[in-house]
Amino acid sequence: MTADAMDRSRFDHVPERIEGLVDLAFNLWWSWHPSARMLFKQVNAHAWKESRHNPVQMLQEIPEDYLRRAAQNREYLRRYDIIMQRYQEYMARKNSWFTEEYASSRPFTVAYFSAEYGLHHSLPFYAGGLGFLAGDHLKECSDLGVPLVAVGFMYSSGYLHQHIGPDGSQMNIEEHLNRDAAPITRVLDPSGKQIVLAVPHINLPISVAVWKVQVGRIPLYLLDTDIPENAPEHRSISHRLYSGNKEQRLLQEIVLGIGGRKVLSYLGVHYAGVHINEGHPAFALVERVRERVGEGQSFEDALAQVRGTTVFTTHTPVPAGTDIFPAEMIDRYFSTYYRCLGIERERFLALGAAPGDQGGNFNMTVFAMRMSAHHNAVSQRHGEVTRAMWQGIWPGLPPERVPIDAITNGVHLPTWLNSRMELLLDRYIGAVCPCWQMEHDCPVIWDLVDEIPDEELWDLHIWLKAKLINRIRERKRRKWAEHREMPENIVAEGVLLNPTMLTIGFARRFSTYKRADLIFYDLERLKRIVNNRWRPVQIVFAGKAHPADVEGQQVLQRIYAFARSPDFGGKIAFVEDYGEQVAQYLVHGVDLWLNNPLPPMEASGTSGMKAAINGVLNLSILDGWWIEGYNGRNGWAFGGEYTVGDRTAADANAIYELLEKEIVPLYYDTDMHGVPHGWVRAMKESIKSNAPRFCARRMVKEYVTHYYPKMLAAAGTPFSGLGGGE
């Protein structure tokens, strides 16, 4: 038997009457339940703020007096008892959507592998949308009762912390995770020591320690190489997400896949199928094959069984977006492994050989495709692109018959819907449909959004915008106090933002194809739009460039220079160190979400979905999810026409035209009380058309109903129910 361990002596000062706060702090259930977060905030709002909404850190640092007062406060204890009972019932619940739909099925588990997880900023194991998609997937599986176990990495240095220098250059700050102040626990062996396991059958001695994050009812096991058992050069394998060093990347993917499978085996986690999120963890699949070969199966039979029980989700819209390793690098670590599989080197390398590649490279996306029978892209448009891109893996098939489906991404609505917006919706939707939050993927429910008075929705939105701007100013005040920066840098980071102005948000990873600086194509025209005396516009940017992406960093620096320029009057701002917490404020508080990547390179995009469910309107190019989301009444679209050659001018002009002729006039067309009824009408349309369609609940249900019956049939496990079947 194994167990999780937290050092409870760190929490000896928590009174027995409210000691349940400690257990609650170590389950991320609180991160998507506002009432649970309020339990911590009501103990002491300042301590909650200082901990950056991390309850483990807060409970460790807060003076005992505050906890003792809470334990003696009748009003607080009433709330505490109700929330703790709700939490305990959630964790113990046997009935769920999954058990109701598949009541006659035998118990089974699916293992979910991903290189990153965006769960909460106290666990910085994410770089962007891929990670948040994985985090939202786990949360929704917990809510629906889907039997899942997840595997990822313990990144002690996360992705990167971003500091913007005086000249706008991105400085990458390394900040090591304080593991004892984060909602994670060590997984112990029967002797009470943290589990440490060797990654098997690889020509390199690497061991991993095992940690656990509890995501509601879903366990997420994290692998950590920063332990004394490893050589110094190998301890850093799990330091940072997406290392720019190719060999380090390969070692990360070996540890994640093969080491991750070893961990689940040691823990006695028996799973019938695997779901891998992008190609990074694909070596987990070949390890499943090796185990079967070791039990006496032929390689081809074992491969067929593993394929039939694997789903591979690809987020890569271009061939260059996948990890590719030279064959000699694969040989360096897998020469012994080939023999364990009972095959020749050439057979193994052929699994990762991209069609037409004569360079002897090993492509992880191609490898994942060939190792799995079930494949999906993350939007309908991305499905078309992906089928054409990888058609050569299935020679002879026309693109439309290539076996790559499309399940459009969705966002975990309880995580990304603002708590005050949730209360407003509950007042008007809940009055007619009390169970609306359990059924939020049902489109009919959302028609009740029209019952909300325009004034109430608009007042809430203005409050959220003011909260965003105050948060930006507070961050800047703190930075100024620490660094004593120049006044123009203070302006560049948002201290002059005005909550009465139309506010555009752009927050993405700063890759060049996302074209963060597109709106600056015609500076004079943009200045006229931004500096209009009667109808001004302000733009808030946020995002990180990869440390190795020089061009992305140059785009960021250019935008920062515009933000410093007096020509824009403080109406351009850049918010540094974009992460989950900043994202929450932005998708709740801006008026308009701008998205203008170079088509067809947007696989899906989820930030616009998060904005849309909060009533923020989208101005987006017709690519990724917005092709499915745009209905002509819930925002604006451009770029759908076919363009030959450089489309920069055409797309920039389309943005200017929409801003000048439609968006800005609509926003400033208000009644005598300052309410822009036309804009609010579009906000309501945005919420009711996008919330049920682009939620993780719909997405996870699609994965379950479409793939799980097939996977379980291939595993020889009966799987039936209302949603089952082919």
Side-chain angles (χ1 to χ4, degrees):
M1 295 292 291
T2 60
D4 305 334
M6 69 176 86
D7 181 4
R8 287 192 174 270
S9 64
R10 292 179 286 151
F11 306 99
D12 285 346
H13 59 296
V14 178
E16 182 179 357
R17 179 63 176 86
I18 57 173
E19 65 181 359
L21 289 176
V22 178
D23 292 322
L24 180 60
F26 280 91
N27 189 321
L28 289 180
W29 183 84
W30 55 260
S31 71
W32 70 93
H33 288 85
S35 58
R37 296 195 298 274
M38 189 59 66
L39 280 184
F40 299 103
K41 183 177 181 179
Q42 285 188 328
V43 171
N44 184 276
H46 179 71
W48 177 244
K49 182 178 180 181
E50 286 296 306
S51 73
R52 296 185 67 238
H53 304 175
N54 175 356
V56 174
Q57 180 179 338
M58 174 189 156
L59 288 179
Q60 286 183 182
E61 296 177 350
I62 192 170
E64 185 177 353
D65 287 350
Y66 294 107
L67 294 165
R68 192 165 51 246
R69 281 203 292 267
Q72 296 169 352
N73 185 297
R74 290 185 180 181
E75 183 180 349
Y76 179 83
L77 292 177
R78 280 197 298 270
R79 178 184 289 270
Y80 169 86
D81 289 339
I82 291 170
I83 301 307
M84 290 305 298
Q85 181 178 355
R86 189 181 305 167
Y87 165 62
Q88 291 158 2
E89 288 176 351
Y90 177 94
M91 294 300 295
R93 188 181 305 153
K94 301 299 182 184
N95 62 313
S96 65
W97 169 83
F98 185 85
T99 57
E100 291 174 2
E101 291 289 297
Y102 300 102
S104 61
S105 299
R106 290 173 57 190
F108 75 99
T109 300
V110 168
Y112 186 91
F113 286 76
S114 179
E116 56 173 301
Y117 291 90
L119 294 160
H120 185 261
H121 55 266
S122 60
L123 297 170
F125 307 145
Y126 56 87
L130 174 71
F132 284 115
L133 182 279
D136 284 5
H137 192 103
L138 301 195
K139 292 174 182 178
E140 195 59 63
C141 283
S142 176
D143 289 344
L144 291 174
V146 178
L148 199 79
V149 59
V151 179
F153 253 124
M154 162 73 79
Y155 298 107
S156 57
S157 298
Y159 177 49
L160 65 87
H161 287 281
Q162 179 194 61
H163 175 71
I164 304 300
D167 62 348
S169 59
Q170 174 177 286
M171 291 180 280
N172 306 316
I173 308 300
E174 187 163 304
E175 183 178 325
H176 288 283
L177 175 69
N178 182 354
R179 304 171 195 208
D180 291 325
I184 53 177
T185 55
R186 295 169 175 83
V187 182
L188 307 183
D189 65 18
S191 69
K193 296 180 180 179
Q194 185 171 16
I195 292 172
V196 176
L197 300 172
V199 178
H201 305 289
I202 295 298
N203 297 343
L204 192 69
I206 301 176
S207 296
V208 294
V210 186
W211 298 75
K212 180 181 174 183
V213 176
Q214 194 66 39
V215 187
R217 290 180 281 190
I218 303 298
L220 165 60
Y221 294 102
L222 301 175
L223 314 183
D224 182 11
T225 64
D226 190 9
I227 53 177
E229 287 81 353
N230 288 324
E233 64 270 23
H234 299 144
R235 294 184 66 160
S236 63
I237 290 173
S238 63
H239 273 186
R240 186 172 295 287
L241 180 62
Y242 299 144
S243 166
N245 181 293
K246 182 161 287 192
E247 188 154 4
Q248 187 85 326
R249 287 282 283 270
L250 175 59
L251 289 174
Q252 286 184 334
E253 296 181 11
I254 288 172
V255 171
L256 176 60
I258 298 176
R261 170 61 192 130
K262 174 71 173 180
V263 166
L264 293 183
S265 178
Y266 178 87
L267 294 175
V269 177
H270 302 290
Y271 52 90
V274 171
H275 185 168
I276 62 171
N277 191 35
E278 200 45 272
H280 313 299
F283 289 130
L285 307 179
V286 78
E287 177 64 4
R288 296 182 76 209
V289 173
R290 186 202 60 76
E291 291 174 340
R292 285 161 172 76
V293 170
E295 293 167 357
Q297 282 188 307
S298 70
F299 174 80
E300 297 302 336
D301 287 347
L303 178 58
Q305 189 176 57
V306 169
R307 277 175 171 161
T309 56
T310 301
V311 174
F312 168 52
T313 298
T314 176
H315 302 255
T316 308
V318 290
T322 187
D323 282 335
I324 300 173
F325 304 106
E328 57 270 21
M329 191 179 290
I330 299 294
D331 286 338
R332 195 174 306 154
Y333 301 105
F334 282 89
S335 58
T336 301
Y337 205 94
Y338 304 148
R339 295 194 295 273
C340 295
L341 293 170
I343 60 173
E344 299 297 323
R345 166 185 183 271
E346 289 71 24
R347 177 71 178 99
F348 183 86
L349 294 178
L351 290 168
D357 182 358
Q358 303 300 317
N361 293 313
F362 193 89
N363 185 304
M364 292 300 290
T365 298
V366 172
F367 180 65
M369 291 276 189
R370 291 201 175 112
M371 293 294 294
S372 55
H374 314 295
H375 326 94
N376 76 281
V378 290
S379 71
Q380 296 300 316
R381 175 62 175 143
H382 183 226
E384 297 170 6
V385 171
T386 306
R387 285 188 289 273
M389 186 166 66
W390 300 117
Q391 181 182 1
I393 298 176
W394 294 272
L397 287 183
E400 64 273 12
R401 292 188 58 198
V402 169
I404 300 175
D405 307 311
I407 293 181
T408 302
N409 283 343
V411 299
H412 186 243
L413 191 137
T415 293
W416 295 103
L417 185 66
N418 178 265
S419 57
R420 292 209 178 194
M421 182 68 75
E422 180 185 337
L423 290 173
L424 180 64
L425 294 171
D426 196 42
R427 197 155 67 244
Y428 288 94
I429 298 179
V432 179
C433 183
C435 297
W436 74 274
Q437 295 188 53
M438 298 295 296
E439 303 168 357
H440 65 251
D441 56 330
C442 176
V444 176
I445 291 172
W446 292 90
D447 287 340
L448 292 166
V449 167
D450 287 332
E451 301 294 318
I452 302 173
D454 287 1
E455 295 79 4
E456 286 195 46
L457 182 57
W458 185 246
D459 286 348
L460 173 58
H461 177 68
I462 292 298
W463 184 86
L464 290 172
K465 193 200 296 192
K467 185 179 180 183
L468 162 67
I469 292 174
N470 286 337
R471 178 63 176 170
I472 291 172
R473 291 170 177 167
E474 174 64 23
R475 285 169 64 96
K476 191 57 197 172
R477 276 194 293 269
R478 289 189 176 196
K479 185 179 175 184
W480 178 84
E482 294 171 3
H483 300 285
R484 305 296 183 192
E485 293 182 279
M486 298 166 59
E488 56 265 37
N489 291 86
I490 297 174
V491 170
E493 296 182 27
V495 296
L496 297 184
L497 293 175
N498 186 333
T500 68
M501 293 183 188
L502 170 60
T503 303
I504 301 173
F506 183 102
R508 306 297 302 274
R509 183 164 46 87
F510 267 59
S511 295
T512 51
Y513 81 86
K514 295 182 185 289
R515 301 191 296 178
D517 57 348
L518 179 64
I519 199 168
F520 296 98
Y521 176 77
D522 185 336
L523 285 178
E524 295 308 313
R525 192 171 182 183
L526 180 61
K527 288 175 188 176
R528 290 195 297 272
I529 293 171
V530 166
N531 294 321
N532 185 298
R533 181 180 178 186
W534 306 110
R535 300 188 304 195
V537 175
Q538 58 193 8
I539 311 173
V540 180
F541 290 89
K544 298 174 181 177
H546 190 279
D549 185 357
V550 176
E551 290 182 340
Q553 293 183 49
Q554 289 172 343
V555 170
L556 189 158
Q557 192 168 16
R558 183 166 177 252
I559 290 174
Y560 196 85
F562 291 133
R564 293 181 63 188
S565 171
D567 292 345
F568 288 102
K571 300 182 186 72
I572 308 293
F574 187 94
V575 181
E576 69 179 1
D577 207 23
Y578 180 54
E580 178 264 347
Q581 192 173 36
V582 174
Q584 290 274 2
Y585 283 100
L586 286 170
V587 299
H588 297 161
V590 300
D591 299 300
L592 187 72
W593 198 261
L594 177 62
N595 185 40
N596 44 239
L598 187 66
M601 298 177 74
E602 180 82 298
S604 176
T606 55
S607 57
M609 301 175 187
K610 297 163 189 171
I613 64 175
N614 286 284
V616 174
L617 304 185
N618 275 268
L619 167 58
S620 178
I621 201 162
L622 282 168
D623 196 16
W625 80 281
W626 192 232
I627 296 175
E628 302 167 51
Y630 176 63
N631 67 9
R633 304 181 304 279
N634 59 359
W636 292 269
F638 64 95
E641 66 283 349
Y642 178 73
T643 303
V644 178
D646 186 358
R647 59 183 298 153
T648 304
D651 289 341
N653 287 328
I655 292 173
Y656 299 141
E657 287 282 315
L658 287 169
L659 286 171
E660 292 166 340
K661 296 180 179 179
E662 297 185 34
I663 297 171
V664 175
L666 184 66
Y667 181 86
Y668 284 103
D669 183 13
T670 63
D671 65 12
M672 295 299 292
H673 301 285
V675 179
H677 292 281
W679 189 274
V680 175
R681 187 161 51 248
M683 290 175 63
K684 292 179 179 179
E685 184 66 26
S686 175
I687 295 169
K688 66 183 186 181
S689 64
N690 291 312
R693 190 172 180 184
F694 298 102
C695 62
R697 181 146 302 181
R698 183 272 311 158
M699 176 188 73
V700 168
K701 286 182 178 180
E702 285 190 22
Y703 276 112
V704 171
T705 57
H706 190 65
Y707 291 127
Y708 284 25
K710 300 173 185 177
M711 285 199 296
L712 273 296
T717 302
F719 191 91
S720 59
L722 297 177
E726 292 292 321

